[in-house]
Amino acid sequence: MKSGLSASKYIFNNKRTCFVLIIALGLTFSAMYLVHYLLMVTEESFKPIYLEQPKKVIYADLTPETLGVREGNGTDDPGLSHPEARDEAVRKLKSAEGVRDAYYTQVLNAGYNAVFGMTGFQFPLVEPEKIPEFLDHIGARLVEGEMPSGDGEILCDSVILRNQGISVGDWFMVNSYGKVFKVVGVIESDYMFCIGTPNGFNNTGWYFTILTDESHADFKKMAESLGYQITDLDRFDDLETNRAVLKTDVQDMVDSVSRVILIVVMVFLAISVLVAYISFMRNRVNEYCLYASIGFSRREIYGMMMREMGILFGTGILLGGICSIAGMALLDALLIHPQGLISGWWYPGQVGASLVAFAVIIGLLQIPILITVHSIRTVDLMED
């Protein structure tokens, strides 16, 4: 009684050929995952700025019309225009539910660079006595340096400092602002905030700065509850606005680029594997015919071929997973963390997409496999 066809015997007897194929499959799987990982570093790094900061602080720039100003009682400096309407707005904002404090102040923009792309965020310039309350509100602690006490002194989150390549004693964004703002302390929190004191009128705008909680982080709803009718001319950074911007400008872009890369890699992989597998099977025609001659059916030979493919692809995917983990650990240590970036390692959607891509390739391989199986002949007919 004949035994079943072994799916592993040929692999063990042809280690070099099979090893090359396994390496190619593993590296392809790893490359697809690592590219997605690097793209997602941008999204993961931007999330604290877009989704976490607005849960604690909202910035709003309202037009005079929204503030109820109908006459031209402004000044040449928009930050000092309409003081009565502005002060009234601050009083109303302080009385709103969920608001810890509110003030109208200068703000500064900070840049943040990811692996692909960059973004910016604002932070307030306030008097030194307001800084402890701000730090307490965002749950930050001073880990290095000292609290600001003079003009143009900045506290900066450690992640932002690493990202900008500066430290305590350095000028903050000197290429943008010159030698105006100096880093005097390092803070740590979950929100990547900075805060500082003004230095004259060096700023990037005047905003209502509102210390709030997550359940009241929708500024339009808050303003309308206070009697203000928000228009398209009003600018504000709150949780709802930033969530939409993150989806449109970052998440959708990452998804689109990741899909394109996956498709391109899949096409090249499919062509390469098809060529390699056709050559692989042609070199084994005599072996298949011999199996048929000693009594194995085409179905049994096909089953052996599929089991071999399963071993090769399965081992390749396992190797790819190991290479991906090693690659992410190396990138984290050498690139991501030193640059003040944030990464995530587990993306089941990308794993699923890669497995689907491999499944599609296995499906395409059925064409040459079935042609080969259908053309199998017994030894006595091999020379015909």
Side-chain angles (χ1 to χ4, degrees), residues 80-91:
L80 302 177
S81 296
H82 320 294
E84 297 83 3
R86 183 190 67 222
D87 292 344
E88 176 65 19
V90 169
R91 284 193 293 270

Side-chain angles (χ1 to χ4, degrees), residues 33-242:
Y33 196 84
L34 286 176
V35 169
H36 183 78
Y37 156 84
L38 287 173
L39 288 171
M40 289 300 295
V41 166
T42 298
E43 181 177 330
E44 297 290 346
S45 299
F46 286 178
K47 279 181 179 179
I49 294 173
Y50 282 90
L51 300 182
E52 300 303 326
Q53 287 191 7
K55 294 177 181 178
K56 307 297 288 186
V57 181
I58 296 173
Y59 303 97
D61 180 19
L62 305 180
T63 64
E65 290 74 20
T66 298
L67 293 174
V69 176
R70 297 294 179 262
E71 302 295 332
N73 64 338
T75 69
D76 292 336
D77 187 339
L80 302 177
S81 296
H82 320 294
E84 297 83 3
R86 183 190 67 222
D87 292 344
E88 176 65 19
V90 169
R91 284 193 293 270
K92 286 185 177 182
L93 289 168
K94 286 183 176 181
S95 67
E97 185 177 1
V99 172
R100 178 170 180 172
D101 199 359
Y103 31 83
Y104 189 73
T105 187
Q106 301 177 63
V107 300
L108 208 62
N109 285 341
Y112 182 77
N113 298 295
V115 175
F116 301 102
M118 67 168 294
T119 191
F121 64 94
Q122 298 171 315
F123 63 89
L125 300 175
V126 300
E127 297 306 315
E129 59 268 19
K130 286 188 173 292
I131 292 178
E133 178 194 39
F134 187 92
L135 297 183
D136 181 66
H137 178 68
I138 65 173
R141 59 190 181 93
L142 183 69
V143 296
E144 183 183 347
E146 59 186 20
M147 297 286 286
S149 57
D151 294 341
E153 296 184 343
I154 303 292
L155 290 179
C156 204
D157 190 279
S158 59
V159 175
I160 301 299
L161 290 179
R162 288 201 307 271
N163 187 257
Q164 295 191 2
I166 58 177
S167 57
V168 172
D170 292 334
W171 296 104
F172 182 78
M173 295 187 65
V174 64
N175 292 332
S176 298
Y177 305 118
K179 296 181 178 180
V180 177
F181 299 100
K182 179 175 286 189
V183 178
V184 297
V186 183
I187 58 175
E188 288 186 351
S189 70
D190 297 330
Y191 306 103
M192 292 163 51
F193 269 108
C194 299
I195 188 169
T197 57
N199 192 353
F201 292 100
N202 295 282
N203 59 66
T204 52
W206 290 76
Y207 284 77
F208 292 100
T209 300
I210 307 154
L211 310 189
T212 186
D213 58 37
E214 181 178 351
S215 60
H216 298 88
D218 185 335
F219 177 74
K220 187 174 182 180
K221 184 182 295 185
M222 178 192 298
E224 290 178 349
S225 71
L226 298 175
Y228 293 107
Q229 189 62 43
I230 300 300
T231 71
D232 292 338
L233 298 178
D234 297 308
R235 296 181 299 167
F236 51 90
D237 291 332
D238 67 349
L239 183 57
E240 296 302 316
T241 302
N242 283 11

Side-chain angles (χ1 to χ4, degrees), residues 239-312:
L239 183 57
E240 296 302 316
T241 302
N242 283 11
R243 184 180 287 129
V245 172
L246 178 68
K247 184 180 187 307
T248 302
D249 293 354
V250 181
Q251 292 173 335
D252 289 350
M253 180 272 293
V254 168
D255 290 343
S256 298
V257 173
S258 186
R259 281 195 299 268
V260 170
I261 292 174
L262 181 65
I263 291 171
V264 171
V265 171
M266 188 178 74
V267 169
F268 279 100
L269 177 63
I271 294 173
S272 302
V273 172
L274 277 170
V275 171
Y277 234 86
I278 289 172
S279 175
F280 187 68
M281 290 185 294
R282 281 180 177 174
N283 293 333
R284 299 180 64 189
V285 169
N286 290 346
E287 176 190 343
Y288 298 147
C289 291
L290 180 61
Y291 291 148
S293 298
I294 60 178
F296 288 102
S297 66
R298 286 188 173 90
R299 181 183 295 274
E300 290 172 311
I301 296 171
Y302 172 79
M304 178 198 69
M305 296 168 72
M306 291 303 298
R307 291 194 298 275
E308 289 176 352
M309 184 184 297
I311 293 173
L312 294 173

Side-chain angles (χ1 to χ4, degrees), residues 304-356:
M304 178 198 69
M305 296 168 72
M306 291 303 298
R307 291 194 298 275
E308 289 176 352
M309 184 184 297
I311 293 173
L312 294 173
F313 273 75
T315 306
I317 291 171
L318 179 61
L319 177 64
I322 295 172
C323 290
S324 296
I325 294 172
M328 289 186 292
L330 190 63
L331 288 169
D332 257 11
L334 299 181
L335 174 65
I336 306 305
H337 183 74
Q339 293 298 318
L341 301 176
I342 300 171
S343 66
W345 284 25
W346 175 237
Y347 300 105
Q350 179 62 21
V351 173
S354 299
L355 292 177
V356 168

